[in-house]
Amino acid sequence: MTSLYAQVYQDWQTDPLAFWAKAGVAIDWIKPWDTVFDPDSGPYGRWYAGAECNTCYNAVDRHVLAGRGDQDALIHDSAITGTVRKISYSDLQAEIEALASVLVDKGVGKGDRVIIYMAMVPEAVVAMLACARIGAVHSVVFGGFAANELATRIDDAKPVMIIATSCGLEPGRVVAYKPMLDKAIEQAQHKVATCLILVRPQQPHELVSGRDIDYAQAVAASVGRKVPCEPLKSTDPLYILYTSGTTGQPKGVVRDNGGHLVALAWSMGAIYDTYPGDVFWAASDIGWAVGHSYIAYAPLFVGATSILYEGKPVGTPDAGTFWRVIADHKVKVLFTAPTAFRAIKKEDPKGELIGRYDISSLKYLFLAGERADTDTIKWAEQKLGVPVIDHWWQTESGWPMAANPAGLGMLPVKYGSPTVPMPGYDVQVLDDAGHPVKRGELGNIVVKLPLPPAFLPTLWNADQRFREAYISEFPGYYKTADAGIMDEDGYIYIMSRTDDIINVAGHRLSTGAMEEVLSSHPDVAECAVIGIADSVKGQVPCGFIVLKSGVTRSEADIEQDCVALMREKIGPVAAFKMAITAKRLPKTRSGKILRGTMQKIADQEPWNMPATIDDPAILEEIQLVLNARGIGLVTG
Ligand code: COA
Ligand code: AMP
């Protein structure tokens, strides 16, 4: 019997435009589209060309008008401060309008950029939606990034305003954001006129006179003011989200208004089986794509309740905190990264804390962001008694490219596979020359153009970089930069990245950017950063440094410098704790560093001596320096 998924996917394949026109009915448009897809605009075309809409209206106002005003829109549960704040759709609308009027008073308008550098507080979502309401383009910067990363984003996005919290709260430490903000503004070429600072009690800060405005005071003075939703083109940018590229210059992923609304609303029902009134919890951070799509936007697009969680899966206060949140707020769907479950499993291997809570509301656990190992999936299935769904996506896609679509009826689970492509994605596997490989063979995973609604239409002010990064290598296809397999049943297996991106605790990091930081150390002649296996974080970075000749400082001191430099330049999120001095780096005869082989040695995976290696003895040296640190020791 054909599955509902197969029918829906076939509908899309038969007539993609009719499929996306039908999905577009779920959205309230100010003006209908002239054409569902315009193939002649942008690097590969644009969705819902000619249409006008407003994302904030669809997320909030229309639900209030439809009588959903008293329902919780957001529940802020801070395991760190022990507080819970529930915000109804009506209250959210009022808060958004109050903030939007502050923005308008300060001259922020359609097309202006606003950087949001905030902790996991409701005001962060309010800020995103207030920008969306007036047509300003927000760019959220994750709090775990250092001043330097923030400065890079300021120079690229050129914001007229920055909205920030005075601090973020990590277990056992208050992370002062305000000094990082001041440093970034000083460092950036582009000068920002206004900062709106939400001062949290944990970290009061002096405001810079003439530049900084107190968020709470400004918003309080604007309570009750009305700000209409600006009619925007479907193709106008809603936000820019910077993600790791292959260099220190991050890529500004652009998301538009119309396509984003349609695809995300579609995904809530079809993939997540989530409808008006359901409680949806994406345990991520608003600084990541998951947080944008599935904390701030998609649950609200469909009138569900979204949980905004400030805390960790363990240590705030214990490995039972997820179950407490599920029980307290009757969460139906939990979405997080496998690393969170590995952390919980490590602390509470028998899952004993689960029994203390009534988690009967939970119907599904979705995992994404990194490879979900079978042990973790089986552990979660057994302990929670609900389907555990691995699904695959990227910051660029903004919604799942492959999943087991819960709302269309589940397909049989194959461990190790995020299941099948979603409508919109014609996923294929090609060899390096661009020829299709046989089913079951490893190759480059690509998506046939055009990409579906919500997928990035381009990079911010960088069409050419978009083309070079994504669509030039395999003409007619988008390069995902993931390598993998498609089996006889059409199930996809994601094996590894084909570029220098590594995945640390579900966070995407560029080893190229880290190498740029290490190279900037005055004593470092050359370096290589690889991701090595970690039982909780999936991967952690490990940097090899070769010192300049004549350097007299101790290796240990320089290694410590490198760790500190990475924290200062990229931020704590890089989780860079391992710098290792080597005499030489293994290279091919053409001078390419053999990072892949080094990683296999560190992870004790089988490896072959590369035919093109310049000097095989160097790999033995690398093995020895790793072993001396207890890494890559052959055991058993
Ligand atoms: N502001 C400032 N610092 C931050 C931060 C923020 N918003 N978020 C993280 N950091 C810091 C942490 O304090 C830590 O610093 P440390 O080196 O001083 O300990 C560092 O950045 C790394 O943070 P993190 O990656 O969160 O690691 P962790 O060891 O604190 O926790 C996990 C590990 C697995 C529990 C955690 O990463 C996790 O829950 N991940 C899964 C959910 C998720 O966020 N997924 C993202 C995509 S879905
Ligand atoms: P990000 O842009 O941070 O979402 O990272 C995207 C990358 O994470 C993908 O290109 C994959 O390499 C990896 N990834 C995301 N989801 C999965 C998954 N379910 N299985 C394996 N890898 C994944």
Side-chain angles (χ1 to χ4, degrees), residues 243 288-290 367-372 390-396 418 480-482 494-497 501 503 506-508:
T243 191
W288 308 118
V290 174
L367 298 175
E370 51 165 337
R371 205 172 150 70
D390 177 16
H391 62 329
W392 168 61
W393 56 302
Q394 309 185 309
T395 303
E396 286 84 347
T480 66
D482 279 320
I494 309 296
M495 308 310 286
S496 60
R497 290 283 300 195
I501 300 288
N503 217 308
H507 311 319
R508 168 170 162 176

Side-chain angles (χ1 to χ4, degrees), residues 161-335:
M161 181 188 271
I162 299 183
I163 309 179
T165 42
S166 61
C167 65
L169 304 177
E170 284 292 291
R173 104 189 142 98
V174 174
V175 185
Y177 285 3
K178 182 65 173 31
M180 286 196 275
L181 174 69
D182 292 342
K183 198 169 155 195
I185 290 177
E186 199 186 300
Q187 218 174 306
Q189 304 282 314
H190 172 80
K191 290 301 159 208
V192 182
T194 313
C195 294
L196 204 51
I197 311 288
L198 180 74
V199 181
R200 302 185 81 186
Q202 297 82 2
Q203 187 83 39
H205 263 293
E206 295 265 312
L207 300 183
V208 175
S209 137
R211 188 197 74 187
D212 295 350
I213 298 172
D214 184 281
Y215 180 109
Q217 280 175 13
V219 168
S222 297
V223 168
R225 288 176 61 186
K226 295 280 161 210
V227 178
C229 292
E230 183 74 26
L232 298 170
K233 286 195 203 122
S234 163
T235 51
D236 279 341
L238 169 68
Y239 68 76
I240 309 166
L241 174 59
Y242 289 89
T243 191
S244 298
T246 47
T247 63
Q249 182 65 32
K251 291 170 171 164
V253 167
V254 174
R255 201 81 66 205
D256 64 12
N257 279 279
H260 178 248
L261 275 164
V262 176
L264 265 62
W266 184 87
S267 74
M268 284 310 280
I271 301 178
Y272 297 104
D273 197 22
T274 296
Y275 306 97
D278 286 342
V279 181
F280 188 91
W281 178 21
S284 177
D285 188 287
I286 45 132
W288 308 118
V290 174
H292 278 65
S293 295
Y294 293 105
I295 297 175
Y297 284 116
L300 303 187
F301 290 168
V302 298
T305 299
S306 180
I307 307 271
L308 182 73
Y309 173 73
E310 185 176 40
K312 302 265 171 179
V314 293
T316 55
D318 57 30
T321 189
F322 271 27
W323 325 133
R324 197 263 309 150
V325 173
I326 292 167
D328 283 357
H329 309 305
K330 309 263 175 298
V331 172
K332 175 176 174 184
V333 178
L334 169 61
F335 173 178

Side-chain angles (χ1 to χ4, degrees), residues 9 12-13 392 401-402 420-422 424-429 439 444-448 477 480 485-486 490 492 494:
Y9 192 78
W12 166 72
Q13 274 186 315
W392 168 61
M401 301 161 78
V420 289
M422 291 297 94
Y425 297 96
D426 179 351
V427 177
Q428 302 190 16
V429 187
R439 290 283 170 116
N444 299 285
I445 303 189
V446 297
V447 181
K448 194 160 187 298
Y477 297 93
T480 66
I485 290 167
M486 185 178 273
I492 295 170
I494 309 296

